[in-house]
Amino acid sequence: MRIAIIGAGVAGLATAKVLIQAGHDVRVFDKSPDVGGVWSRTRRYPGVTTQSPKAQYSLSDFPMPKSYPEWPSGAQVQAYLAAYAAEFGLEAALCLSTEVTAARPVGDGRWTLTTRDAGGAESVESFDRLVVANGVFCEPLVPAYPGLEEFTAAGGALRAATDFHDAEDARGKHVLVVGYGKSACDVAAAISGVAAGTDVIARQLLWKVPRKIGGFLNFKLLLLTRLGEGLFRYLRLRGFEKFLHGPGNGLRRRMINSIGSVSVRQFGLAKLDLVPAGHMEDIVRGAIGLASEGFFEGVEDGSITVHRDRTITRLLAGPDGPAAELSDGSTHRADLVLCATGFTQGVPFLPEQTRQRLLDERGNFMLYRQILPLGVPGLYFNGYNSSFFSPLNAEMAALWIAADLAEAVALPDPDAMLRAVVEQLAFMDEATDTHHCRGTKIIPFSMHNVDEVLDDLDLNISATVRASHWLGAVDPAAYRRVTPSLLRRLTASGSRPDAGPGSGPGPGSTDLMPVESDGQLPSAALNM
């Protein structure tokens, strides 16, 4: 089939690689000039790093270089993804600096795409199927503050954090950073050394997990394990989870909340008046963030000021220049306001009638397994499963898509799939207090999603390896043989043509894709 993929981030690239290996003709469209999605040079803010360590943020068959730090920078992740595209021969499929302005269904699951390149030239192409992988962090949400015109006339600037790329642009300025998630704290820490003042406006404090708990234990050994995920109650309890949420419930709660106690002591949160409300267990109802390097140190030394439980009520022209008024009535100089206030999940290129079929009455995406919309033939989503292991979740979803294209997924009937989607959304409403990004966030249930997707394909890894991930950090490399196994199955069934040029590794290929002997990415790929 001829398949279009919208988005060249992690999910788009993983999908392209799997579908090309399965014998499909693939085109990947992205309006950015480079691959990477949120890691593109057009979207990286100062100080951005991965939240998960490099091993957990790797794709199963392409490890990050050994030379990378435990938490790679945004530029390093983009280089890694560019190297992934080079290694698996994806460049010929890439249509970068090309925006999809419209995607219309034309019957029998086929689609017509209208695209516009960087020069403004439009093209129309037809495809047999469409995969939307534009991501859930593609369009920043910037509040519409009253007084913006007056504020900008006085010389003030309002920008999304993802549109702020150089810390030097904050030099000598009074900067207000709105938000308290990882991106807000990353930016604040990065600019605090050059800005005249760095104020963080936090509507709600969130729990921050130390990279090294107690100064020595990598947080992945507590939260990026199957045990760590099992500490939070899932829709369906299995195995040891039944003990944790039954007779062992007291122990489970103490395990979770002890991390919060360590965070309070390690960062001196009580002294800084930055202890969040509630308990660490409440992170499932909001968001969990890895503590940004230098952030709490900046608060302690005075280079960063946090205004907790506050919002900006209006922007204005103050007597000394542009300013912002907060909900407590105070006014603060604000040459630059950076909003790290979340994102909108949108598919503006789809017709209104199609968008209505995708969403429930509250605007949640109705996706079976976070992949398949109901009642829209020929359309798939990938990357609408934001998790602690986003590359792995995207890669396994790509396999599910490849199998479904080959009619190798035993799908329930439409009514059963609808019930499953409604049940999942209702559970996530309760588990996260509706903070699941319109049905696109699966944290903290990342591995439950992997298991469900692979169980549909009867391709899950061995129970022994999964058991080892209960106490050890989940290792995406443990899943490196799943793709070759699916490709062998599709070839045997006649659903996949023989591997040809650009089709990637076939059934006889090694399960581990090449890296240099010292663990470096191939130099040619890194120099793209």
Side-chain angles (χ1 to χ4, degrees):
M1 291 186 181
R2 191 163 192 258
I3 300 174
I5 300 173
I6 301 176
V10 172
L13 294 177
T15 304
K17 178 251 192 186
V18 169
L19 296 186
I20 289 172
Q21 289 181 340
H24 297 288
D25 179 15
V26 173
R27 294 293 179 273
V28 184
F29 299 93
D30 200 297
K31 61 184 178 182
S32 296
D34 54 358
V35 301
V38 296
W39 307 106
S40 165
R41 65 178 181 271
T42 64
R43 299 176 62 188
R44 293 196 299 266
Y45 56 82
V48 64
T49 67
T50 61
Q51 178 150 275
S52 298
K54 64 179 179 181
Q56 283 62 50
Y57 201 79
S58 293
L59 291 141
S60 71
D61 51 9
F62 198 69
M64 284 198 185
K66 292 180 180 179
S67 61
Y68 274 21
E70 183 73 341
W71 287 274
S73 69
Q76 288 172 321
V77 177
Q78 195 281 327
Y80 164 75
L81 293 174
Y84 177 84
E87 187 63 46
F88 292 102
L90 307 183
E91 295 106 318
L94 296 175
C95 302
L96 301 176
S97 298
T98 304
E99 181 180 6
V100 175
T101 57
R104 296 181 177 87
V106 293
D108 298 324
R110 302 182 73 250
W111 295 79
T112 295
L113 268 62
T114 303
T115 63
R116 183 171 55 228
D117 65 20
E122 289 197 341
S123 300
V124 178
E125 297 184 68
S126 296
F127 294 89
D128 298 307
R129 297 292 184 268
L130 173 63
V131 181
V132 174
N134 64 335
V136 298
F137 306 117
C138 73
E139 297 297 334
L141 178 64
V142 177
Y145 294 119
L148 177 59
E149 186 175 350
E150 175 188 354
F151 171 77
T152 53
L158 174 69
R159 296 163 67 177
T162 52
D163 293 331
F164 179 72
H165 307 305
D166 188 350
E168 281 298 311
D169 290 342
R171 182 170 293 278
K173 296 180 180 178
H174 295 270
V175 184
L176 269 58
V177 180
V178 185
Y180 198 70
K182 183 176 182 294
S183 56
C185 296
D186 281 349
V187 170
I191 68 174
S192 61
V194 299
T198 304
D199 291 74
V200 174
I201 315 302
R203 178 179 58 84
Q204 178 186 13
L205 296 184
L206 304 172
W207 284 101
K208 301 292 184 180
V209 177
R211 294 184 176 195
K212 296 290 183 69
I213 296 173
F216 67 93
L217 182 65
N218 193 315
F219 91 103
K220 68 181 181 181
L221 297 176
L222 293 182
L223 291 180
L224 301 188
T225 64
R226 285 183 176 265
L227 174 60
E229 186 168 316
L231 296 176
F232 302 95
R233 186 181 187 91
Y234 190 54
L235 175 60
R236 289 169 291 276
L237 298 178
R238 303 174 302 180
F240 191 61
E241 293 172 348
K242 295 179 180 178
F243 168 78
L244 289 173
H245 296 274
N249 190 53
L251 172 63
R252 178 192 65 82
R253 291 178 65 91
R254 288 192 295 274
M255 290 174 66
I256 295 176
N257 292 324
S258 66
I259 301 174
S261 300
V262 170
S263 296
V264 171
R265 292 194 303 270
Q266 189 167 330
F267 296 133
L269 299 184
K271 177 183 176 182
L272 300 176
D273 190 27
L274 293 180
V275 179
H279 300 285
M280 178 63 82
E281 187 173 9
D282 296 331
I283 60 176
V284 71
R285 294 186 174 272
I288 182 172
L290 191 67
S292 303
E293 282 193 296
F295 178 77
F296 290 114
E297 293 84 350
V299 176
E300 185 172 15
D301 68 25
S303 60
I304 299 173
T305 301
V306 178
H307 303 268
R308 61 174 297 169
D309 310 314
R310 301 287 187 270
T311 59
I312 292 178
T313 55
R314 69 183 179 112
L315 301 174
L316 65 149
D320 300 319
E325 183 180 284
L326 305 188
S327 52
D328 62 356
S330 62
T331 301
H332 300 268
R333 176 72 181 270
D335 302 306
L336 175 62
V337 177
L338 298 174
C339 293
T341 44
F343 297 82
T344 60
Q345 289 80 45
V347 282
F349 42 81
L350 294 177
E352 176 62 26
Q353 184 178 14
T354 302
R355 293 201 298 268
Q356 289 177 356
R357 293 178 182 175
L358 294 175
L359 308 175
D360 68 10
E361 66 280 0
R362 294 174 298 141
N364 294 317
F365 281 86
M366 302 277 288
L367 302 174
Y368 183 71
R369 295 290 190 248
Q370 310 293 132
I371 301 169
L372 186 68
L374 308 179
V376 187
L379 179 62
Y380 299 90
F381 284 74
N382 199 352
Y384 280 54
N385 49 4
S386 175
S387 79
F388 286 139
F389 306 93
S390 288
L392 179 63
N393 285 94
E395 191 177 0
M396 298 304 103
L399 296 175
W400 197 98
I401 292 169
D404 191 62
L405 289 170
E407 299 182 347
V409 180
L411 292 174
D413 64 68
D415 288 342
M417 286 194 287
L418 177 60
R419 288 194 298 271
V421 171
V422 170
E423 182 184 33
Q424 184 78 15
L425 283 171
F427 164 73
M428 291 300 288
D429 276 347
E430 180 180 357
T432 69
D433 196 22
T434 71
H435 295 136
H436 50 64
C437 301
R438 297 175 62 199
T440 66
K441 186 185 86 169
I442 59 175
I443 292 174
F445 307 113
S446 314
M447 299 311 299
H448 284 81
N449 175 259
V450 168
D451 287 341
E452 290 168 352
V453 166
L454 292 184
D455 286 345
D456 283 351
L457 308 180
D458 192 26
L459 280 175
N460 214 336
I461 63 175
S462 73
T464 301
V465 176
R466 280 178 281 151
S468 72
H469 292 164
W470 268 82
L471 295 179
V474 172
D475 182 6
Y479 291 81
R480 65 190 180 276
R481 295 184 178 87
V482 178
T483 297
S485 294
L486 176 66
L487 297 178
R488 283 193 292 269
R489 181 186 297 177
L490 297 182
T491 300
S493 69
S495 301
R496 171 181 178 254
D498 291 337
S503 63
S509 301
T510 178
D511 291 327
L512 283 171
M513 296 303 109
V515 292
E516 303 292 353
S517 59
D518 62 353
Q520 302 293 316
L521 296 178
S523 57
L526 282 173
N527 290 328
M528 287 180 63

